[in-house]
Amino acid sequence: MILTEKETSVINDLMTQEKTCIEKYGKYSTYAKDTELKNLFSTLQEREQQHYNSLNQVLTGTVPSCDVNDSAGKNYNPTATYTIGKSNLEDKDNDCFLCTDAITTEKLVSSEYNSDVFAFRDTNIRKLLADIQVEEQNHAEMIYKYKTTNSMT
Ligand SMILES: [Fe+2]
Ligand SMILES: [Fe+2]
């Protein structure tokens, strides 16, 4: 599968975006105070790395098959760390800020995939990008669940 110049440039931009997500979650897992959140950010860092690898495969001529994983958000059930009355409010504020910022990023990334799908001729590439878009929404859902469980809304 040979990509057009435009398709190649779209994939490159998406890879830059994924690289930023990998770095962000790496940093945020160290900035987070709560271990549960540190682990969540580390998990998401690995998933962004998988996105990066998939895009890189497209660039080198193979389209990886997608798993259409739409259950990561549904299956994530964190336990509350910040319980009312006993919490370190400074830590909670810090972690809440990181969550809100990460959700904003996921929202932007997800909408980028939504529009980039339309730039491709190949059905399998379109499927892959749509699959990644759903996974970005799952990431946001997991972080949102963490927030609501910890009364951060
Ligand atoms: Fe991603
Ligand atoms: Fe993501």
Side-chain angles (χ1 to χ4, degrees), residues 123-134:
T123 305
N124 290 329
I125 297 180
R126 283 176 173 249
K127 268 193 190 155
L128 175 71
L129 299 188
D131 186 49
I132 297 178
Q133 187 198 346
V134 170

Side-chain angles (χ1 to χ4, degrees), residues 18 21 25 48 51 106 109 135-136 139:
E18 290 296 343
C21 290
Y25 284 126
E48 305 300 5
H51 290 167
E106 291 293 350
V109 169
E135 288 178 0
E136 306 299 9
H139 300 168

Side-chain angles (χ1 to χ4, degrees), residues 80-93 150-152:
T81 301
Y82 296 107
T83 45
I84 294 159
K86 293 186 214 159
S87 305
N88 179 330
L89 289 178
E90 219 171 290
D91 287 0
K92 184 177 174 177
D93 272 359
N150 286 285
S151 321
M152 286 174 173

Side-chain angles (χ1 to χ4, degrees), residues 32-136:
K33 304 289 182 190
D34 174 23
T35 308
E36 173 73 40
L37 188 59
K38 280 179 180 292
N39 292 341
L40 174 58
F41 285 149
S42 294
T43 302
L44 295 177
Q45 184 186 17
E46 285 164 24
R47 305 227 168 123
E48 305 300 5
Q49 182 68 54
Q50 287 164 9
H51 290 167
Y52 183 90
N53 296 348
S54 295
L55 295 169
N56 198 36
Q57 277 189 55
V58 172
L59 219 48
T60 55
T62 24
V63 184
S65 61
C66 36
D67 55 359
V68 195
N69 171 14
D70 59 359
S71 54
K74 189 174 71 191
N75 296 339
Y76 178 65
N77 287 306
T79 46
T81 301
Y82 296 107
T83 45
I84 294 159
K86 293 186 214 159
S87 305
N88 179 330
L89 289 178
E90 219 171 290
D91 287 0
K92 184 177 174 177
D93 272 359
N94 175 78
D95 286 359
C96 179
F97 171 82
L98 298 176
C99 288
T100 307
D101 183 73
I103 289 172
T104 306
T105 300
E106 291 293 350
K107 199 173 164 184
L108 287 171
V109 169
S110 152
S111 69
E112 192 60 40
Y113 277 101
N114 187 42
S115 45
D116 286 348
V117 159
F118 297 94
F120 290 87
R121 297 160 302 161
D122 183 75
T123 305
N124 290 329
I125 297 180
R126 283 176 173 249
K127 268 193 190 155
L128 175 71
L129 299 188
D131 186 49
I132 297 178
Q133 187 198 346
V134 170
E135 288 178 0
E136 306 299 9

